[in-house]
Amino acid sequence: MKIVIPGGSGQVGVILDRAMTAAGHDVVVLTRRPVREHDVRWDGETLGPWVREIDGSDVVVNLAGRSVDCRYTAANLRAMMDSRVHSTRVVGEAIAAAARPPRVWLQMSTATVYAHRFDAPNDEATGVIGGGEPGVPDYWAYSVEIAKAWEREQERAETPHTRKVALRTAMVMSPDRGGVLDVLLRMTRLGLGGPIAGGAQYMSWIHDRDFVRAVEFLADRDDLAGPVNLAAPDPLPQRAFMRALRAAWGIRVGLPATRWMAGLGAFVLRSDTELLLKSRRVVPGRLLEAGFTFDHARWPEAADDLVKRVRGGDRVPV
């Protein structure tokens, strides 16, 4: 198959590119900074010569969007919104104009669209969309608006010959340098991998190889369209999540952190506390109903596998 990955030079794109290339597919990555033979330049905003890659392709997986690993200033939040909406719009325009449009358009979205909650898991059918939760920072609602606008832009695209799926993706755990697991392991090795603000907030995640398998599954299943949660079926509280990661690495103690300490740490890491404090209890209802099976369904076993790969050198910079 020919697979086009707009925005494929980030962490998730590297994972997908590596796996699909190894499987023998013809992969093209659309990027602002092409460096490899299969990279093609685009700006994520306007049509250009890159549209020739879309025409005649089999699958488009749009991952484009400014990284959320930053301070949530007004400027950065606006950049997150614009980069996601504009890139989705222009991908839709390219597909609509193609003489031979791809049969499926898999569009990255985020599990952050769901509400901050502890009482019940969020699946696609009964999950509560966030934005109005009491007792959380006001700007968390803007993150939800970004997710909703991202999905809405794909829905609006007039691509009648192309099936559309929105990938509501949890944190993708891989051994690669610079990814989310790399940051969590750094904290763990420093003795900081304890509960944050009590640690009751849920962490949803997906093993990198299950992420790739889920993308392949959704590309092949002609009966699946619309939002699909890409998350392992076993989200767990942050304190239990980090306890399992410490056990996998062989560290007994993880110092707890208060909410203000988390804010200080996020400032030092040039990140934001929403990534640490929002309870994302997301489950893959539609994937499970469609018969998808996870190779890494539980976090303790997934953490063991990922740590072995880190120690075995199975990682690349992203």
Side-chain angles (χ1 to χ4, degrees):
M1 292 191 301
K2 181 176 181 180
I3 303 171
V4 181
I5 310 177
S9 56
Q11 181 213 1
V12 176
V14 168
I15 292 166
L16 195 59
D17 177 11
R18 181 171 57 211
M20 295 303 184
T21 299
H25 298 297
D26 176 15
V27 177
V28 175
V29 171
L30 304 184
T31 174
R32 288 179 170 84
R33 292 177 292 276
V35 295
R36 301 165 301 176
E37 185 177 352
H38 67 297
D39 290 347
V40 172
R41 187 181 302 277
W42 83 325
D43 64 3
E45 296 183 0
T46 57
L47 298 173
W50 59 268
V51 301
R52 293 193 292 265
E53 303 297 339
I54 299 284
D55 199 337
S57 65
D58 298 289
V59 180
V60 172
V61 188
N62 183 22
L63 307 176
R66 192 204 193 287
S67 173
V68 299
D69 188 15
C70 63
R71 298 295 297 164
Y72 281 17
T73 62
N76 284 341
L77 287 169
R78 172 49 60 182
M80 288 182 210
M81 174 73 85
D82 290 347
S83 62
R84 283 157 176 73
V85 171
H86 294 168
S87 61
T88 304
R89 181 180 303 151
V90 77
V91 167
E93 291 172 354
I95 292 174
R100 293 180 298 155
R103 56 182 175 80
V104 60
W105 170 12
L106 305 178
Q107 171 63 47
M108 180 59 89
S109 182
T110 173
T112 297
V113 74
Y114 293 109
H116 168 76
R117 64 190 299 203
F118 303 88
D119 58 335
N122 290 301
D123 64 14
E124 301 90 339
T126 64
V128 177
I129 300 300
E133 305 95 312
V136 302
D138 291 341
Y139 73 90
W140 284 18
Y142 192 76
S143 295
V144 175
E145 289 304 311
I146 291 173
K148 289 161 65 177
W150 207 0
E151 293 186 6
R152 188 163 56 244
E153 201 62 39
Q154 186 195 30
E155 292 170 5
R156 287 174 175 170
E158 297 183 2
T159 57
H161 304 293
T162 300
R163 177 169 53 93
K164 296 184 287 191
V165 181
L167 309 175
R168 290 180 175 172
T169 307
M171 292 185 294
V172 180
M173 297 293 171
S174 82
D176 300 312
R177 293 185 179 89
V180 62
L181 180 70
D182 195 29
V183 174
L184 294 175
L185 281 175
R186 193 183 318 146
M187 293 171 59
T188 299
R189 291 193 295 267
L190 291 172
L192 304 176
I196 297 175
Q201 65 275 24
Y202 277 81
M203 294 185 68
S204 287
W205 58 277
I206 187 169
H207 189 284
D208 63 334
R209 290 175 175 165
D210 277 336
F211 172 81
V212 171
R213 293 179 56 248
V215 167
E216 293 173 327
F217 183 85
L218 291 168
D220 290 340
R221 285 290 296 263
D222 292 337
D223 57 327
L224 292 174
V228 176
N229 293 345
L230 266 61
D234 184 35
L236 64 172
Q238 184 266 344
R239 58 176 173 261
F241 184 96
M242 293 305 297
R243 186 187 308 123
L245 187 58
R246 294 198 309 269
W249 194 262
I251 292 180
R252 290 187 177 183
V253 178
L255 296 176
T258 62
R259 185 178 292 265
W260 75 264
M261 291 169 66
L264 180 61
F267 180 81
V268 171
L269 294 171
R270 301 184 65 82
S271 187
D272 196 89
T273 55
E274 184 198 35
L275 302 174
L276 302 172
L277 299 177
K278 181 170 181 176
S279 185
R280 295 171 172 85
R281 193 176 182 184
V282 180
V283 293
R286 296 191 69 195
L287 277 178
L288 294 176
E289 288 171 5
F292 182 81
T293 57
F294 286 81
D295 287 342
H296 302 277
R298 299 187 65 255
W299 175 240
E301 290 79 9
D304 286 342
D305 174 78
L306 289 161
V307 164
K308 287 177 183 176
R309 289 166 62 196
V310 169
R311 287 179 161 155
D314 182 15
R315 57 199 320 225
V316 299
V318 296

